[in-house]
Amino acid sequence: MKSQNKVWCAVAAVVLAVILVGCTTTRITSQVNREAVQRNFSKLLVHSSFQNLEYRQLAENKLCAELAAATGVTCLRSITVFFPGQKYTVEQIAERLSELQIDAVLTFQPTGSGTSSTYIPQRSYTTGSATVIGNTVIGSSTTQTYGGYNIRTPWANFEAVLWSTSDDKAVWYATAASEGNALAGWDGLISSASSKVVSKLVSDGVFRKLSR
């Protein structure tokens, strides 16, 4: 019994450690437009649609950094090309893309978010010891209680589309679902989804992996 209680205490400690570390996972599904994929993109603009400027900066920074590192493509962030908060006409946007010789635009946006709740049932574990002194037994025990609370975990869904500027065709389309643990936040969800988008673009053959 004593060894079993030690095992349960160790398991509880591991579970607690996992909870206390922000962790996020992402599942992604993608499809390539075979009619438009046979082309090489060398200069890319990344545009993320978040009302929160911090999240927009995070997504565009993450996507550009990982795309450049993985493929060697020149990547520009839309927040450095089009000032946030200012409205631009379609003609102004097209002119600016042409001036910068942008041949593809990657859009990234959230499509839904929320939290899930999981109840951790309460359990108690008792450990004890006993010492025999003559005809007397002296014992002690300690009871530890775990659980009895809800854990709320965040989730978010995203959409990513790669557009060719030469003919305005969608070259690649993907949806991603990110989930985090109790300490994960929007920054973790965005970072995880952004990394998966870049990995999927490479594995789908849309961008060639940079040779080391």
Side-chain angles (χ1 to χ4, degrees), residues 30 32 172 196-207 209:
S30 63
V32 178
W172 179 85
K196 284 291 186 179
V197 165
V198 174
S199 296
K200 200 65 172 169
L201 280 166
V202 173
S203 64
D204 284 346
V206 179
F207 288 95
K209 190 173 182 179

Side-chain angles (χ1 to χ4, degrees), residues 64-197:
C64 263
E66 295 210 5
L67 273 167
T71 70
V73 67
T74 299
C75 185
L76 300 180
R77 296 166 296 147
S78 69
I79 52 175
T80 65
V81 177
F82 302 103
F83 188 78
Q86 182 174 330
K87 295 185 181 299
Y88 296 87
T89 65
V90 174
E91 291 76 17
Q92 288 174 321
I93 294 173
E95 182 180 358
R96 188 64 174 144
L97 294 178
S98 178
E99 288 176 355
L100 294 172
Q101 298 181 325
I102 302 294
D103 47 28
V105 175
L106 176 64
T107 60
F108 178 75
Q109 65 178 354
T111 57
S113 62
T115 58
S116 300
S117 181
T118 302
Y119 179 73
I120 307 299
Q122 188 177 79
R123 299 192 66 171
S124 296
Y125 308 97
T126 301
T127 58
S129 62
T131 302
V132 178
I133 301 177
N135 294 325
T136 304
V137 178
I138 301 174
S140 63
S141 64
T142 302
T143 299
Q144 295 177 304
T145 301
Y146 302 92
Y149 51 83
N150 287 297
I151 293 179
R152 294 188 178 278
T153 55
W155 61 267
N157 296 328
F158 301 92
E159 177 188 72
V161 187
L162 182 69
W163 300 89
S164 170
T165 58
S166 62
D167 52 13
D168 199 31
K169 279 190 175 182
V171 177
W172 179 85
Y173 178 82
T175 57
S178 298
E179 297 178 344
N181 66 4
L183 291 188
W186 260 100
D187 55 345
L189 297 174
I190 292 170
S191 294
S192 177
S194 297
S195 294
K196 284 291 186 179
V197 165

